[in-house]
Amino acid sequence: MAVGVDDYSSESDVIIIPSALDFVSQDEMLTPLGRLDKYAASENVFNRQMVARSLLDTLREVCGEERDCIAVLERISRLADDSEPTVRAELMEQVPHIALFCQENRPSIPYAFSKYLLPIVVRYLADQNNQVRKTSQAALLALLEQELIERLDVETKVCPVLIDLTAPDSNDDVKTEAVAIMCKMAPMVGKDITERLILPRFCEMCCDCRMFHVRKVCAANFGDICSVVGQQATEEMLLPRFFQLCSDNVWGVRKACAECFMAVSCATCQEIRRTKLSALFINLISDPSRWVRQAAFQSLGPFISTFANPSSSGQCFKDESKSSEDKDRIRDDGVVQEEQSRPEDAPSDLSAPHSSARLDGTLEGCAAETPGDSAGDMRVPADSSLLCTLSSESPQEAASDAESGKKHDNNSKSASRPDVGTSSPEPTPLDQEMFNSFHFWRTPLPQIDLDKELQQDPGERPSPERTGDAPAAPVPGSPSITMATRKELEEMIENLEPHMDDPDVKAQVEVLSAALRASTLDAHDEAGGAEQRSELQDDAVGAGGELPNCSISEDTSEPLVIAAEENMEATPDYIHGGADVGPGGGGGFSSDEERRPKVQDVVPQALLDQYLSMTDPSRAQTVDTEIAKHCAYSLPGVALTLGRQNWHCLRETYETLASDMQWKVRRTLAFSIHELAVILGDQLTAADLVPIFNGFLKDLDEVRIGVLKHLHDFLKLLHIDKRREYLYQLQEFLVTDNSRNWRFRAELAEQLILLLELYSPRDVYDYLRPIALNLCADKVSSVRWISYKLVSEMVKKLHMATPPTFGVELINELVENFGRCPKWSGRQAFVFVCQTVIEDDCLPMDQFAVHLMPHLLTLANDRVPNVRVLLAKTLRQTLLEKEYFLASASCHQEAVEQTIMALQMDRDSDVKYFASIHPSSTKLSEDAMSTASSTY
């Protein structure tokens, strides 16, 4: 036994099995720098990682001594050379925190970050290990965001390294990451550094022919760069690169361009936005890649919103003084002018410049098409011929006006008539029927009798003054234009036939084929119809200004080109007002308003046409299944851009979206209908939005919540009579698809508080009061809390009315239904309502003391402690704080004090506590209050 004891207690055994406390005591004996050196030199990787994590703590321990701080920073520099990537990555994660510490202790360690830490961050940007590079990139951006890097260091230490990393001979991955860092840091370093140091290399990277990854990064961040450098640099240096990226042979690059298109557009002037970027965007929308088209359609609405003019949005864009002339002209046509005579409608003499501008923009856009797009190549000569036609007519009309001296208003109207017939934003019903691509080509050609239309039109509008305008469009130009158009259509069809697999291309070919057949028929009918046209002109008085016989050949050739151009851009026919797509079966021919062509002069018409096509069911199959949702999301922005005078362009699309089968689309509209109502004004809201609003009220809860959240915002825009109609429907919000959807009822209570100001005391009492009392008894406490506020505000409004009869009746109902409720939760709700009334001064204290306080004090004898606890809190911390009970020695004050004394002697400890404590004694009272309040 003794031998065993000696062996167990031998010296060698003590050395082999030391206590763990020995190591702790050894580390505690070391200085912070000693511990740092000990573990930094360890061969164990985990020890070195621990050193990297503890650097900030070490600095805090030695921050009092500048020399020790410098010593720690020097050891950081040595640790940065560690061969283990995980150690370097761990170190880099700590650098932003260490830099912030150095900034806060700058007097002790001046220039510490610039000298010791920044070189490590910059060096790690080119590290061989991917994790280390990613960590250093994140650290650099964090340092720039917190403004911990001096401006001089950015120019001399950061930017030169990034420029070197993006050199042609740099590693591919490093180059891509460096470009991304340059783009992300541009907004942080400002315009000056970006324009001098980053922009030149960025432009070079946009043309990197070897790596599409680099070009894709440039495209994805193009908008950020444009927003930093401003308009001049964007238009002079960046736009040419952007055009190249949009025609890149890699679809990912083009998709990135589509996604940032709005930001690029915001950095350019209106002219470039209209003439160049619009055509470029049309190319992206018709891109062969579905992913590019998808991104382009998602950006279409935001891009259109960049055309908004703050000074004219929602205002009339054109001269209102001419509207009476339009009314007279429309009345002479024998057409109902109710919709056409709106003050925001454009006068005819202003339509030609807008149409010319829009046509010029289209031509420039077509010239920007990529060489590989055969359809785009063929579109240019067609538009050129059309432009020649317009430009040849306009000088003659101007000369005719000059010769006549514009003696009569009718002369000016007739002079502008041919322009209206070509591509005017607002043609008359006759022009629409003749020159609208849908109306003209949708009906079988043998059934179209143009001569009959011409015969009817002059007969309806005899105007002797218009005979002098006959030479405005000479007859000899007609056959040559028709032949040229026919040849161009044949070439377009030939180029498109190899791509018939695409539904959009197939639709284009079908329309072009119909146009070609029609032009052939026109050529054969030219000689045979000449005599008949002459007779029509002789019979009709003043028919010279009404599109002379050249209109049958020349003006019918122009719609062919227009239709070809529209369909080359994959624009559905129904865009021009002829399709029956409205909810409830509202057809496109039901009224003259619906037959108005959807044209305007705010944005390029091609962009608007593409936006309107987003509701086409074929788009969901060929582009994106959620394209309708994207259309609905951006519709308020598009409506604001176009202005209320152009709402007719969007009305049908909005109705189509409102009846979409996807509830997410309808939900999106429901959440924004109040914004659209502000844009459109009260008249258009009542006519077009109220029916849709009513439909949303009966929709799914997911849709109804959008309407409910902005119920007050929408109803306040309506006329008082229209607003009162919704009083009967408010009760329906209490019924939900899921009874557990308590947030719906809570939102209803919030909205009812706002609605109190919109209705009279009688309406509040008759319609809103029952809903409020119902919500006060809700099963969910959050709903009840809001309802107490609702009832107190209702008491305030009704009491202020003259006479306050409704207020007294409401108070009596509260006392009867809640103050004397057999359930303790109802009696507690009564105390809560009284507390809210006192806190918000909803009643004068003398009126409160008469109508509510006697019933409140009787609850001091309630058998449920929770009611007495809340009563004690209300009396002690709310009621006695009012000046009325502090200054006056009345019977009411005496009754309150007696009740409080009785509660202080209550058998329940919580009741005693709240009855005894001073209202603002300690935080403990607040905690106890919250505990007591949550017990019910």
Side-chain angles (χ1 to χ4, degrees):
M1 185 68 181
V3 174
V5 172
D6 291 339
D7 292 341
Y8 182 78
S9 59
S10 63
E11 184 179 355
S12 61
D13 288 341
V14 174
I15 297 175
I16 293 174
I17 310 176
S19 172
L21 297 176
D22 294 337
F23 294 104
V24 177
S25 59
Q26 291 176 12
D27 285 348
E28 289 178 350
M29 294 175 61
L30 296 174
T31 62
L33 287 177
R35 289 197 302 271
L36 195 65
D37 292 335
K38 174 183 177 181
Y39 290 104
S42 173
E43 296 181 359
N44 191 327
V45 175
F46 298 104
N47 287 340
R48 301 201 300 275
Q49 287 181 353
M50 182 184 67
V51 170
R53 293 192 194 101
S54 61
L55 285 172
L56 183 60
D57 295 333
T58 304
L59 272 174
R60 286 173 176 156
E61 292 182 26
V62 301
C63 63
E65 294 290 335
E66 178 181 347
R67 185 165 57 182
D68 290 343
C69 291
I70 298 300
V72 173
L73 294 174
E74 290 176 348
R75 284 160 176 77
I76 292 176
S77 300
R78 289 200 298 267
L79 190 63
D81 298 327
D82 197 288
S83 59
E84 179 60 37
T86 56
V87 176
R88 301 199 301 274
E90 188 68 45
L91 172 63
M92 193 48 54
E93 289 182 0
Q94 303 301 319
V95 165
H97 306 291
I98 297 174
L100 185 60
F101 174 82
C102 294
Q103 181 72 17
E104 294 172 351
N105 296 271
R106 194 176 181 86
S108 302
I109 40 179
Y111 309 110
F113 172 76
S114 177
K115 182 177 180 180
Y116 296 102
L117 299 179
L118 185 58
I120 301 175
V121 176
V122 173
R123 190 178 71 195
Y124 278 5
L125 293 175
D127 197 275
Q128 294 180 352
N129 184 268
N130 181 57
Q131 182 184 3
V132 176
R133 290 200 309 273
K134 296 292 185 184
T135 311
S136 64
Q137 294 163 14
L140 177 61
L141 293 177
L143 293 170
L144 288 170
E145 186 177 4
Q146 298 176 19
E147 299 180 354
L148 296 177
I149 305 180
E150 297 290 341
R151 186 177 183 85
L152 180 62
D153 290 337
V154 174
E155 295 187 29
T156 58
K157 297 182 179 180
V158 178
C159 289
V161 172
L162 292 174
I163 293 175
D164 291 341
L165 294 178
T166 55
D169 57 346
S170 179
N171 179 273
D172 291 346
D173 293 338
V174 173
K175 181 192 297 186
T176 304
E177 294 168 357
V179 172
I181 288 295
M182 290 172 60
C183 296
K184 292 177 181 178
M185 64 182 286
M188 304 177 191
V189 299
K191 177 180 179 181
D192 180 52
I193 294 180
T194 301
E195 201 165 350
R196 286 190 295 107
L197 303 178
I198 297 178
L199 186 58
R201 180 49 60 93
F202 178 81
C203 293
E204 294 177 14
M205 293 296 99
C206 291
C207 304
D208 192 307
C209 301
R210 192 169 61 88
M211 289 192 60
F212 81 90
H213 297 286
V214 174
R215 301 196 304 273
K216 184 176 179 181
V217 171
C218 292
N221 297 276
F222 212 95
D224 295 335
I225 298 295
C226 291
S227 62
V228 172
V229 299
Q231 179 177 325
Q232 182 178 356
T234 297
E235 296 176 355
E236 294 177 359
M237 300 183 64
L238 291 175
L239 272 189
R241 305 296 188 275
F242 190 64
F243 273 76
Q244 296 174 5
L245 293 174
C246 287
S247 59
D248 198 276
N249 56 357
V250 177
W251 68 264
V253 178
R254 303 195 302 273
K255 177 177 179 290
C257 290
E259 291 171 345
C260 70
F261 215 94
M262 176 187 176
V264 176
S265 177
C266 290
T268 61
C269 66
Q270 187 72 259
E271 181 182 0
I272 290 180
R273 189 179 300 142
R274 177 177 294 274
T275 58
K276 296 182 179 180
L277 291 183
S278 298
L280 186 63
F281 196 85
I282 292 296
N283 290 349
L284 294 175
I285 279 185
S286 57
D287 195 272
S289 171
R290 175 171 181 165
W291 305 111
V292 179
R293 297 198 303 271
Q294 180 176 327
F297 273 109
Q298 291 184 22
S299 301
L300 177 55
F303 176 48
I304 290 177
S305 68
T306 61
F307 287 86
N309 186 354
S311 63
S312 60
S313 294
Q315 306 297 327
C316 298
F317 282 88
K318 301 163 189 172
D319 188 6
E320 190 173 341
S321 62
K322 301 288 186 178
S323 59
S324 59
E325 300 177 7
D326 291 340
K327 296 178 184 179
D328 296 337
R329 176 168 54 82
I330 296 169
R331 188 180 299 110
D332 291 338
D333 288 341
V335 181
V336 179
Q337 80 273 9
E338 181 175 338
E339 293 290 340
Q340 294 284 352
S341 60
R342 291 183 179 181
E344 52 262 34
D345 287 347
S348 59
D349 59 348
L350 293 180
S351 59
H354 294 308
S355 62
S356 301
R358 183 168 61 254
L359 182 60
D360 294 341
T362 307
L363 284 173
E364 294 188 27
C366 295
E369 293 279 351
T370 57
D373 190 351
S374 60
D377 296 337
M378 294 308 301
R379 202 179 306 150
V380 176
D383 291 341
S384 300
S385 64
L386 177 58
L387 181 60
C388 293
T389 303
L390 290 177
S391 60
S392 65
E393 292 174 357
S394 300
Q396 295 176 8
E397 295 163 3
S400 177
D401 289 339
E403 291 174 3
S404 62
K406 298 185 178 179
K407 298 178 181 179
H408 304 283
D409 292 338
N410 288 336
N411 283 349
S412 63
K413 289 183 287 184
S414 62
S416 64
R417 179 70 176 188
D419 276 351
V420 177
T422 54
S423 59
S424 170
E426 294 183 355
T428 61
L430 172 64
D431 297 329
Q432 179 182 346
E433 293 295 335
M434 292 181 61
F435 303 109
N436 183 281
S437 60
F438 180 84
H439 290 170
F440 193 85
W441 300 118
R442 186 66 175 179
T443 309
L445 287 172
Q447 299 179 12
I448 296 180
D449 192 350
L450 296 178
D451 295 340
K452 183 176 180 180
E453 292 184 5
L454 288 174
Q455 185 177 9
Q456 293 174 351
D457 187 77
E460 293 171 359
R461 289 191 298 172
S463 178
E465 295 84 358
R466 302 177 73 99
T467 56
D469 297 331
V475 177
S478 163
S480 61
I481 292 178
T482 303
M483 293 296 295
T485 302
R486 194 158 57 246
K487 182 178 179 181
E488 291 158 4
L489 291 176
E490 291 174 352
E491 294 177 355
M492 290 180 184
I493 295 174
E494 182 181 354
N495 290 322
L496 286 175
E497 283 178 349
H499 309 285
M500 291 286 288
D501 295 338
D502 191 332
D504 290 338
V505 176
K506 184 177 179 180
Q508 296 168 15
V509 172
E510 291 175 356
V511 176
L512 292 176
S513 300
L516 181 60
R517 291 193 300 270
S519 62
T520 305
L521 289 176
D522 286 342
H524 290 315
D525 294 341
E526 181 67 27
E531 183 178 355
Q532 183 179 1
R533 288 192 297 271
S534 300
E535 295 175 358
L536 291 175
Q537 291 178 354
D538 294 338
D539 294 340
V541 180
E546 276 305 318
L547 299 175
N549 62 359
C550 67
S551 63
I552 296 182
S553 57
E554 180 176 29
D555 287 341
T556 52
S557 69
E558 294 169 6
L560 303 182
V561 180
I562 294 174
E565 179 182 355
E566 290 169 350
N567 285 278
M568 289 301 296
E569 295 167 353
T571 303
D573 293 334
Y574 70 81
I575 287 174
H576 300 280
D580 182 7
V581 294
F589 299 96
S590 60
S591 67
D592 293 308
E593 173 63 21
E594 291 181 356
R595 280 188 287 180
R596 292 175 64 189
K598 298 172 175 56
V599 291
Q600 39 70 53
D601 59 353
V602 181
V603 302
Q605 187 62 34
L607 289 178
L608 181 61
D609 289 349
Q610 292 290 350
Y611 178 79
L612 299 180
S613 74
M614 293 175 72
T615 57
D616 186 5
S618 64
R619 292 292 191 195
Q621 300 175 2
T622 59
V623 180
D624 185 4
T625 56
E626 293 192 350
I627 189 172
K629 182 181 177 182
H630 298 306
C631 179
Y633 182 81
S634 57
L635 195 140
V638 176
L640 178 63
T641 302
L642 297 181
R644 66 184 60 169
Q645 71 277 3
N646 290 314
W647 169 241
H648 67 277
C649 298
L650 297 175
R651 178 186 293 108
E652 188 176 325
T653 298
Y654 190 78
E655 293 173 351
T656 303
L657 292 171
S659 60
D660 195 276
M661 294 295 294
Q662 301 182 69
W663 64 266
K664 292 182 179 179
V665 177
R666 304 194 303 274
R667 174 185 169 93
T668 303
L669 293 181
F671 270 94
S672 62
I673 193 171
H674 66 290
E675 299 287 358
L676 192 59
V678 174
I679 296 170
L680 297 183
D682 54 353
Q683 294 183 358
L684 290 175
T685 296
D688 298 327
L689 297 189
V690 166
I692 294 175
F693 183 84
N694 294 339
F696 288 157
L697 291 178
K698 303 174 183 177
D699 212 313
L700 301 175
D701 284 353
E702 289 80 3
V703 179
R704 295 169 70 203
I705 188 64
V707 173
L708 180 59
K709 276 184 174 293
H710 304 286
L711 187 63
H712 168 263
D713 298 328
F714 185 83
L715 294 184
K716 72 179 181 181
L717 302 173
L718 302 181
H719 190 268
I720 181 63
D721 296 334
K722 196 71 177 177
R723 190 187 304 154
R724 290 192 75 252
E725 295 178 5
Y726 291 94
L727 287 170
Y728 308 95
Q729 304 181 46
L730 293 176
Q731 191 81 22
E732 298 176 3
F733 282 112
L734 293 174
V735 182
T736 56
D737 298 338
N738 184 357
S739 60
R740 296 181 180 178
N741 190 5
W742 60 268
R743 291 181 178 84
F744 201 91
R745 301 189 297 275
E747 186 62 42
L748 174 60
E750 294 275 12
Q751 288 298 311
L752 289 179
I753 295 175
L754 301 175
L755 289 177
L756 292 176
E757 66 178 16
L758 301 182
Y759 293 103
S760 65
R762 162 66 72 178
D763 290 337
V764 170
Y765 183 81
D766 290 344
Y767 299 100
L768 302 188
R769 172 189 54 83
I771 303 176
L773 297 181
N774 190 317
L775 293 172
C776 282
D778 198 90
K779 296 180 179 180
V780 180
S781 62
S782 297
V783 179
R784 297 197 300 269
W785 274 109
I786 304 172
S787 303
Y788 302 149
K789 172 72 173 177
L790 169 61
V791 171
S792 64
E793 291 295 327
M794 199 172 291
V795 169
K796 181 178 182 180
K797 179 180 178 66
L798 296 180
H799 178 77
M800 294 176 62
T802 305
T805 309
F806 296 122
V808 175
E809 292 181 1
L810 175 59
I811 291 174
N812 294 335
E813 193 168 0
L814 287 173
V815 172
E816 187 66 29
N817 293 346
F818 292 94
R820 299 170 183 171
C821 180
K823 294 183 179 180
W824 72 270
S825 58
R827 300 192 298 275
Q828 189 185 51
F830 178 76
V831 181
F832 273 121
V833 170
C834 292
Q835 184 183 43
T836 309
V837 168
I838 298 170
E839 290 177 346
D840 298 342
D841 295 324
C842 298
L843 276 179
M845 283 297 101
D846 57 340
Q847 295 296 316
F848 177 85
V850 172
H851 296 291
L852 284 175
M853 197 175 73
H855 307 285
L856 182 65
L857 297 182
T858 58
L859 296 177
N861 300 321
D862 197 279
R863 61 182 182 274
V864 179
N866 284 18
V867 178
R868 302 197 304 275
V869 166
L870 183 59
L871 175 63
K873 282 173 47 180
T874 301
L875 296 179
R876 192 62 153 154
Q877 301 174 6
T878 305
L879 189 64
L880 289 183
E881 287 294 291
K882 295 297 180 181
E883 186 68 22
Y884 178 81
F885 291 97
L886 293 177
S888 63
S890 62
C891 59
H892 301 301
Q893 182 183 16
E894 182 179 353
V896 172
E897 292 177 351
Q898 290 179 356
T899 303
I900 291 178
M901 291 178 60
L903 292 174
Q904 289 175 349
M905 311 237 352
D906 196 276
R907 58 184 179 274
D908 188 271
S909 59
D910 290 333
V911 178
K912 289 182 185 178
Y913 175 81
F914 286 108
S916 304
I917 195 169
H918 192 268
S920 57
S921 58
T922 61
K923 186 177 184 300
L924 180 62
S925 63
E926 299 177 3
D927 296 339
M929 282 169 51
S930 61
T931 303
S933 301
S934 62
T935 55
Y936 78 106

